[in-house]
């Protein structure tokens, strides 16, 4: 069971470079999310996609863009990386609506450790 | 605003000690409450949850009770093991919503 798969696991960028973090889930989940994890601040939501074809801003969207490519895949793009974006990034997904209720449990990938120099 | 506050760590305990990690929340309405655990080098995984007042979530010997009157969801375990060493996150989510808000996390070290 692959669950939520993120690539790459590690990345080092120079300030101003761009890159895309990839995420795919094989659980047929409708909703997908990108979080960043910083010491002492827990996880903060960057963007989410409630369902295929929709994306919305979370708590800290500035400097990021996302694409919900299809139901399985949700990518996060840094157009011009900054040192403040050094962090661990997690992709997560949650199940489809069932009789009007959203399954609230999140399934996480193993993370991408990004350093911006 | 809507937030989750949990006790700062690290918490260091000896094996078989009693564990409490405090968590309080602010929110409008009646959110669902969660504890997630992160083992070294891994993503978070759900430990337990409660969706309404007075519910008790439990899993792997851990328990937490949804206390509406004190807006709390404290995590407890009667006898910790070395394998419980991890970072624990309290979280809340508005029922039917899409945003899960996490606390800062509490690192637990359990010594043999």
């Amino acid at each position: 069971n692959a669950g939520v798969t993120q690539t790459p696991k590690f990345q080092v960028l120079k300030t101003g470079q761009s890159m895309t973090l990839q995420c795919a889930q094989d659980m047929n989940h409708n909703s997908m999310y990108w979080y960043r994890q910083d010491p002492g601040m827990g996880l903060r939501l960057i963007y989410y996609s409630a369902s295929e074809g929709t994306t919305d801003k979370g708590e800290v969207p500035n400097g990021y863009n996302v694409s919900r490519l299809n139901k399985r895949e949700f990518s996060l793009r840094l157009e011009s990386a900054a040192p403040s974006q050094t962090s661990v990034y997690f992709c997560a997904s949650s199940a489809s609506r069932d009789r009007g209720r959203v399954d609230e449990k999140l399934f996480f990938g193993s993370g991408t450790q990004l350093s911006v120099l | 605003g809507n937030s989750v506050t949990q006790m700062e760590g690290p918490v260091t305990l000896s094996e078989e000690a009693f564990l409490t990690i405090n968590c309080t929340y602010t929110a409008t309405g009646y959110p669902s409450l969660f504890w997630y655990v992160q083992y070294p080098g891994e993503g978070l995984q759900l430990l337990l949850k409660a969706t309404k007042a007075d519910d008790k979530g439990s899993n792997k010997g851990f328990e937490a009770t949804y206390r509406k009157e004190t807006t709390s969801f404290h995590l407890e375990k009667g006898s910790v093991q070395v394998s419980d060493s991890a970072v624990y996150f309290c979280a809340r989510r508005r029922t039917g919503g899409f945003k899960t808000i996490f606390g800062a996390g509490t690192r637990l070290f359990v010594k043999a």
Side-chain angles (χ1 to χ4, degrees), chain A:
Chain A
N1 289 345
V4 180
T5 304
Q6 293 181 234
T7 56
K9 291 191 181 300
F10 301 95
Q11 184 71 49
V12 179
L13 295 177
K14 294 181 180 178
T15 296
Q17 286 185 316
S18 63
M19 81 159 295
T20 300
L21 280 64
Q22 307 287 352
C23 176
Q25 51 89 12
D26 62 1
M27 295 174 282
N28 199 37
H29 286 173
N30 267 354
S31 302
M32 298 185 73
Y33 312 81
W34 277 105
Y35 284 87
R36 59 178 289 174
Q37 183 181 25
D38 301 292
M41 304 188 76
L43 277 77
R44 292 179 293 169
L45 183 64
I46 304 171
Y47 271 94
Y48 68 100
S49 171
S51 60
E52 186 179 357
T54 69
T55 60
D56 285 286
K57 295 178 180 179
E59 302 168 83
V60 288
N62 291 345
Y64 305 95
N65 286 301
V66 290
S67 295
R68 183 74 183 267
L69 303 170
N70 48 55
K71 191 170 186 179
R72 291 186 64 247
E73 299 172 284
F74 188 40
S75 62
L76 178 72
R77 182 159 178 85
L78 287 69
E79 289 291 351
S80 178
S84 61
Q85 294 178 305
T86 294
S87 187
V88 180
Y89 290 85
F90 287 99
C91 178
S93 68
S94 64
S96 305
R97 286 186 181 274
D98 178 14
R99 293 186 291 279
R101 286 190 55 84
V102 175
D103 188 332
E104 300 165 313
K105 174 181 177 181
L106 293 174
F107 293 79
F108 283 85
S110 57
T112 297
Q113 189 165 323
L114 175 67
S115 295
V116 183
L117 306 177

Side-chain angles (χ1 to χ4, degrees), chain B residues 5-18:
Chain B
T5 303
Q6 57 183 108
M7 62 189 289
E8 288 190 26
V11 174
T12 302
L13 297 174
S14 297
E15 206 165 23
E16 299 183 2
F18 184 85

Side-chain angles (χ1 to χ4, degrees), chain B residues 27-87:
Chain B
T28 56
Y30 304 97
S32 296
L33 302 174
F34 307 84
W35 278 100
Y36 282 83
V37 58
Q38 183 181 31
Y39 298 104
E42 299 182 10
L44 281 70
Q45 53 187 277
L46 181 67
L47 180 60
L48 55 84
K49 73 175 189 178
T51 57
K52 60 183 187 296
D54 300 324
D55 266 3
K56 177 184 283 188
S58 61
N59 185 25
K60 299 181 182 179
F62 291 90
E63 293 183 341
T65 301
Y66 191 142
R67 300 287 188 201
K68 178 172 173 291
E69 62 278 12
T70 55
T71 62
S72 65
F73 192 55
H74 305 322
L75 182 68
E76 297 182 335
K77 186 174 185 182
S79 176
V80 294
Q81 306 300 313
V82 172
S83 57
D84 293 327
S85 297
V87 182

